[in-house]
Amino acid sequence: MGISYRLAEFIAGTNYEDIPKAVFETQKKSVLDGVGITLGAATLGDGCRDFVELAVENSCQGTGEATVIGFGKKLPAGWAAFANGAMAHSLDFGDTQMDAVVHSNASTFPAALAIAERLGNVDGKKFLTALVLGSEVACRISLGANEDLEKHGYYMPTVYTSYGAVAAVCRLLELTPKQIVDAFSFNLCQTTCSSELMNNSKTVVRSVREAFSARNAVLSGQIAARGLNGFQEPLEGKLGFYHAYARDNCSLERVVDGLGERYYAGSLYFKLWPSCAGTHPAIIAVKALAAEHSIRPEEIERVHVKVSQRNRMLVEPEEIRKAPSTSIIGKFSIPYTASVALVRKDVTLDDFLPEAFSDEKVLGLAARFTHETVESWGKTEGMNTDVTIYARGEAFHYFYTEEGAAVGDTSFEELEKKLRACAKHSLIPVSGERMEQMIQVVKNLETVDDIGKFTSLL
């Protein structure tokens, strides 16, 4: 039995009672996080308003099956998933599974939400179970690849999470293992993303990419539900997923090792800064060094940063990373985000508004950043970041490794604060009473007898 079918059996056969409670607590945090980010993206996300409008246009104002978060609209499930998916990652503020280096809920949550609302008979336990299984599948498929695949032309985070979205959709549709394998096949024929986005600082693709994955996941599940045949081995087949994307440089046993026993979905890194996770090690480093050694921004002569090959894009091209002009460039800039952290003591959504990019103190410090790339740091060392601040004639050093990631220790209270900060930028104002209702429903989602009680608040 191949890994495609083993994953499918896991998706179809795992029940709420089989999953550790701690994993569900993490998943509920992810839901709360996802709602807040989507609310803020309605006005702050590059291209998001246009994608929502396109969803409305292409659905021809179709049957209102599922909610578009923060817009007071309902669309057919596939187009609601498309609209919410466009917003889900656009602020680059969502959770990350650091072992797999994937945003495992980015398209999983929008797709599952759309299908759950369309079905209308989904309770909180079913919804949470589908989300956990989807997140887990996204992580495990990523872990099967032995290298970063951007060099082959594919931007993989959104491709991996597309399979998680398919898994969640199929679970909610109660498909058989065979049908789930079929759905994986149809997803393979639809979803991809070009790593050329890494060479284009102004592209909107980086912002709205999950729209395609979420919509295609819904469609893949719906096609499979009709009994149409896909491939028997879409992931591991001779010309399947791992051959096409990873050039067969994969470890298939890692995909299913400990399946049902160890949950990667239960170990997520929740962002407290709205920028690429690859910038966070540098933010952590400069904040720690400044606090420990009482370093003031005006005392800094130079900041030298060593990054992995994968995170080279966060320091190059130098001219735009040191002086970003748009939100998407700033969010993917170590010199800018680390300088903001040093000058303003924190990094917030307001630091990526247009007026923020003219702060001379921040830009002056960012100009004093230098960098180098460590070619030997591969996929497993991708988050390694070495920072040295030169100030007062001394060198202050901080080396960040992935073991230093703050996984699993973000509290509900911190995420509630983040939700409120994001909701301040929502298209339609959210009252304090409604906000509190959202929080309480999510924190007790397993007790909700109808997911409509949750979506009615969105």
Side-chain angles (χ1 to χ4, degrees):
M1 185 188 301
I3 63 165
S4 296
Y5 199 84
R6 288 180 67 181
L7 285 175
E9 284 194 321
F10 168 68
I11 295 162
T14 303
N15 298 312
Y16 178 86
E17 293 75 19
D18 300 323
I19 299 172
K21 182 178 179 181
V23 178
F24 285 122
E25 291 303 302
T26 299
Q27 190 62 56
K28 288 191 288 185
K29 289 179 182 179
S30 181
V31 171
L32 191 68
D33 207 38
V35 170
I37 292 163
T38 306
L39 287 171
T43 61
L44 298 180
D46 291 342
C48 289
R49 293 280 291 277
D50 294 291
F51 266 56
V52 172
E53 290 171 8
L54 284 167
V56 173
E57 289 176 17
N58 280 279
S59 69
C60 300
Q61 300 284 352
T63 304
E65 296 177 327
T67 299
V68 179
I69 297 173
F71 276 80
K73 296 179 183 294
K74 283 195 173 187
L75 298 176
W79 287 112
F82 180 83
N84 289 329
M87 295 184 282
H89 185 69
S90 64
L91 300 185
D92 215 306
F93 211 178
D95 56 65
T96 308
Q97 213 295 326
M98 303 300 276
D99 296 297
V101 195
V102 65
H103 304 289
S104 58
N105 290 291
S107 57
T108 301
F109 175 55
L113 187 70
I115 283 292
E117 194 170 7
R118 180 181 189 274
L119 290 171
N121 61 348
V122 175
D123 61 26
K125 287 184 177 180
K126 288 183 180 178
F127 185 58
L128 283 171
T129 300
L131 289 177
V132 167
L133 296 174
S135 179
E136 187 69 13
V137 166
C139 294
R140 286 180 171 273
I141 291 177
S142 173
L143 287 164
N146 289 333
E147 58 181 305
D148 291 324
L149 305 181
E150 283 80 6
K151 66 183 181 183
H152 298 312
Y154 301 111
Y155 194 71
M156 296 305 295
T158 187
V159 181
Y160 293 136
T161 196
S162 73
Y163 287 90
V166 170
V169 166
C170 289
R171 178 50 192 252
L172 289 167
L173 291 173
E174 299 182 350
L175 301 192
T176 67
K178 193 270 181 187
Q179 289 175 311
I180 295 171
V181 172
D182 291 334
F184 283 160
S185 305
F186 297 123
N187 188 62
L188 177 60
C189 293
Q190 294 186 86
T191 300
T192 189
C193 188
S194 172
S195 57
E196 184 61 17
L197 67 81
M198 299 169 70
N199 297 326
N200 291 260
S201 59
K202 296 182 180 180
T203 179
V204 74
V205 175
R206 191 186 297 277
S207 172
V208 298
R209 68 196 194 204
E210 304 296 335
F212 307 108
S213 297
R215 179 197 61 189
N216 294 345
V218 170
L219 185 57
S220 295
Q222 290 173 328
I223 295 172
R226 288 177 174 264
L228 300 174
N229 291 325
F231 316 131
Q232 291 183 345
E233 296 182 326
L235 297 176
E236 73 277 25
K238 183 178 179 181
L239 298 176
F241 176 84
Y242 285 110
H243 172 78
Y245 286 97
R247 308 300 199 266
D248 295 315
N249 184 7
C250 55
S251 298
L252 298 182
E253 67 279 1
R254 194 182 301 139
V255 178
V256 293
D257 182 44
L259 189 63
E261 299 172 1
R262 175 181 180 180
Y263 281 86
Y264 292 95
S267 300
L268 301 180
Y269 170 58
F270 291 94
K271 293 183 178 183
L272 297 181
W273 304 300
S275 59
C276 173
T279 67
H280 290 195
I283 294 172
I284 291 168
V286 298
K287 285 171 70 74
L289 290 173
E292 182 180 354
H293 303 288
S294 301
I295 302 171
R296 300 193 305 274
E298 59 271 20
E299 297 176 322
I300 297 174
E301 301 148 16
R302 181 166 68 98
V303 181
H304 188 68
V305 182
K306 296 179 183 179
V307 297
S308 66
Q309 173 68 25
R310 189 175 195 279
N311 282 340
R312 181 197 294 267
M313 65 176 178
L314 304 177
V315 289
E316 296 179 3
E318 281 194 344
E319 61 272 18
I320 66 167
R321 296 304 174 202
K322 292 182 178 182
S325 57
T326 66
S327 171
I328 201 67
I329 299 175
K331 287 174 178 289
F332 283 79
S333 167
I334 285 176
Y336 178 74
T337 54
S339 295
V340 167
L342 285 164
V343 172
R344 301 176 188 159
K345 312 303 182 187
D346 202 3
V347 183
T348 71
L349 287 169
D350 290 342
D351 295 313
F352 300 97
L353 297 175
E355 56 269 25
F357 299 123
S358 59
D359 188 318
E360 293 183 2
K361 289 184 178 180
V362 171
L363 296 179
L365 181 53
R368 301 198 291 276
F369 272 65
T370 56
H371 73 272
E372 62 183 284
T373 302
V374 182
E375 301 294 339
S376 62
W377 289 348
K379 181 177 181 179
T380 56
E381 302 87 18
M383 292 294 284
N384 283 9
T385 306
D386 190 294
V387 177
T388 304
I389 295 180
Y390 296 90
R392 306 191 297 258
E394 297 183 69
F396 305 96
H397 179 251
Y398 189 109
F399 180 52
Y400 177 101
T401 64
E402 205 155 291
E403 288 74 20
V407 175
D409 59 0
T410 306
S411 68
F412 265 110
E413 288 70 28
E414 288 175 299
L415 294 175
E416 288 170 24
K417 180 180 178 181
K418 179 177 172 180
L419 169 65
R420 292 186 173 93
C422 289
K424 286 195 303 183
H425 300 278
S426 62
L427 182 68
I428 301 173
V430 181
S431 69
E433 180 183 0
R434 185 168 150 227
M435 184 77 65
E436 186 58 33
Q437 287 178 317
M438 281 185 195
I439 292 169
Q440 292 307 314
V441 167
V442 173
K443 290 176 77 170
N444 298 283
L445 197 53
E446 70 276 15
T447 67
V448 173
D449 59 4
D450 182 348
I451 201 66
K453 293 180 180 179
F454 169 53
T455 57
S456 67
L457 298 169
L458 305 179

